[in-house]
Amino acid sequence: MLLPLLRSRSQGDILAVIMLDPQRERSLSEIAEETGTSVSTVVREVDRLEEGGLVATKRRGNTRLVRAVTDSVVYKPLADLLAVTFGPAAVLRKALAEVPGIERAFIYGSWAARYAQRAGPVPDDIDLLVIGEPDRHVLADAVAEAESVLRREVNVRRVSTQAWVAGNGSFKQTVLSRPVVDVIGTHHE
């Protein structure tokens, strides 16, 4: 539901990971791990993308490395489209990776619902729950960086690990009763 012209959510996730971090070369298994997709699916999608001139691959030993072809006429419009549709999970994962003190982070709300293929318009903002004790300023800087790529506001709700584990309030129940998309760690509530 985020970008109905793509064949699958896996295709969108794979494209977003590659296109929204174009300086980085990734192995097929890294892409599979980042997207929660099988390596065979990644291989099929990367083969299609390479045939279309959107990615380039090279071998380093037994490892096939993939990177975006940024001088393609379609790179910028495709990256822009991916940023506002499939980008939030990939962009926030990268932005928050270096923020110390985050135990878990996940997207909830309308974007998570669209990602779970629930009908509705592409959301204007992203709701992000951060569990842990990150420095507020470091977290704010990381989120601001993500917002510039995503071109929309990221609403951050920060909760200490202790408060989240002990909490049984209506906010926690509401969040966990609806789709969420893991950004850091996994939620097992």
Side-chain angles (χ1 to χ4, degrees), residues 1-4 80-89 92 107-128 147 149-155 179 181:
M1 293 295 165
L2 288 171
L3 188 56
D80 289 346
L81 189 56
L82 288 166
V84 297
T85 55
F86 282 89
L92 286 166
I107 300 168
Y108 65 99
S110 57
W111 189 87
R114 296 309 159 273
Y115 187 80
Q117 301 179 341
R118 295 197 178 160
V122 174
D124 292 330
D125 62 0
I126 307 297
D127 297 313
L128 177 69
E147 287 175 327
V149 173
L150 298 172
R151 292 192 203 118
R152 68 180 101 173
E153 185 178 359
V154 176
N155 303 307
V181 178

Side-chain angles (χ1 to χ4, degrees), residues 164-175:
W164 183 255
V165 170
N168 285 322
S170 62
F171 173 73
K172 182 176 180 179
Q173 290 173 359
T174 300
V175 166

